[in-house]
Amino acid sequence: MDTGTAGPARTADTRLSTAIAIARLIGIMGIVYVHAWTGRTAEELAAVAFSWQAVLRTVLGEMFGRSAVPLLGMISGWLVVSTATRRGYGPFLLGKARTILLPMLLWNAIAILLVGAAATFGDLKAPTPSSIGWTLNELVPLVHANDINVQMPFLRDLFVCMMLAPVLVRAPSIWLVVVASIVVVWSVSGVHIPLLLRPQILLFFTAGIAARRFGVAERVAGGLSRSVRCRSWC
C-alpha cells in the first residue's frame, strides 16, 4: 500500500464529502425556506411587498430557492453513479425506497394529521382530508403537488429518477444527451404527464451523471487549484 498517496487521497475524499454535505444542506434549506408558510394572507404580503423583510426574502428565495432543485438534482445524479453500478436493481431500488419514499410518506402522514387537526379544531386555514383520492395524493403526490407539503414532489420525482438510474449510468453518453433533449422539450412544451411532476429534475439528474462520468468536478477543482497557485506565485 502506498501510504504516500493514501493520505492526500483520503483528505481529498473528506473535503469532497464535506462540500457535498454543505451543498445539500444549503439546497434543502433553500427549498424549505421558499415554501415556508409566512402566516400572512396574499393581501398582507402585497402591502409589505417593498419592506426590507420582503426584499430580503426575495433575494434569499432567488439565490437559494431557485438554485436548490438544480443543485440537489445534480448532486443526486453525481452520487448515484457509484451505487447504481455496484448493486443489483432490486437491492438498489429497495434502498432508495427506504431512504426516499419512506421518509416522504411518514412526513406527509404527520403533516396531514397535524395540519388537518389544527384546521378542524383550531383557527388554522389549511387543507383537510376531503376524499380518499386527496389523501393518497397527499401521501404520495401522484398526479399533482401536495396541498400541504408542497415541496414533496421533488422527492417523488427523485425516486422516479432513481428507478431510471441503473439504466442511465450504464447508457452511452449519446443516450444521456437524448434523454436530456427530450426532457428539455417536455419542460418547454408545458405538457403535463404524471410520470414526472417536474421533468426538469430528470434533466439535472442526468447532468449530474454526465458530470461524474466526464470528471467535471475534478477538472473544476484542478482549475481552481492552479488559479490559486498562480496567484500566490505571481
Side-chain angles (χ1 to χ4, degrees):
M1 179 178 179
D2 188 355
T3 56
T5 59
R10 189 178 298 109
T11 301
D13 289 341
T14 301
R15 290 178 177 175
L16 179 61
S17 298
T18 302
I20 290 175
I22 293 174
R24 294 175 76 176
L25 177 62
I26 292 174
I28 292 170
M29 290 180 64
I31 291 178
V32 173
Y33 179 81
V34 169
H35 293 100
W37 182 50
T38 62
R40 297 190 174 191
T41 64
E43 292 76 14
E44 291 173 335
L45 290 175
V48 296
F50 297 100
S51 65
W52 70 268
Q53 287 185 332
V55 173
L56 176 62
R57 177 176 172 80
T58 300
V59 171
L60 291 177
E62 293 297 323
M63 289 179 59
F64 298 108
R66 291 189 181 275
S67 63
V69 170
L71 176 64
L72 292 173
M74 291 191 68
I75 290 175
S76 298
W78 195 90
L79 291 173
V80 81
V81 173
S82 57
T83 54
T85 54
R86 202 172 56 239
R87 304 175 66 183
Y89 187 76
F92 170 79
L93 198 60
L94 183 61
K96 295 306 176 182
R98 185 174 61 252
T99 57
I100 297 176
L101 281 188
L102 183 59
M104 181 185 69
L105 284 170
L106 292 176
W107 187 246
N108 285 337
I110 292 172
I112 293 172
L113 179 63
L114 296 181
V115 174
T120 301
F121 303 106
D123 296 328
L124 181 66
K125 295 181 180 180
T128 56
S130 56
S131 65
I132 296 177
W134 183 92
T135 305
L136 290 176
N137 192 83
E138 201 66 17
L139 286 172
V140 181
L142 299 173
V143 293
H144 58 78
N146 311 55
D147 290 332
I148 298 176
N149 285 332
V150 295
Q151 71 274 20
M152 286 301 174
F154 172 78
L155 293 180
R156 182 264 201 197
D157 285 348
L158 180 61
F159 182 74
V160 175
C161 292
M162 291 299 176
M163 294 174 66
L164 302 173
V167 176
L168 292 176
V169 299
R170 293 176 174 86
S173 298
I174 185 62
W175 282 107
L176 295 182
V177 175
V178 171
V179 171
S181 301
I182 292 174
V183 172
V184 169
V185 173
W186 182 3
S187 301
V188 173
S189 69
V191 176
H192 177 67
I193 302 176
L195 176 64
L196 288 169
L197 299 181
R198 300 183 66 180
Q200 303 93 325
I201 294 175
L202 179 57
L203 174 63
F204 303 130
F205 187 81
T206 304
I209 294 175
R212 180 70 174 266
R213 178 175 296 184
F214 295 108
V216 174
E218 292 78 7
R219 293 182 184 182
V220 172
L224 292 175
S225 178
R226 287 192 296 270
S227 177
V228 170
R229 289 199 300 268
C230 179
R231 289 181 180 179
S232 61
W233 292 343
C234 296

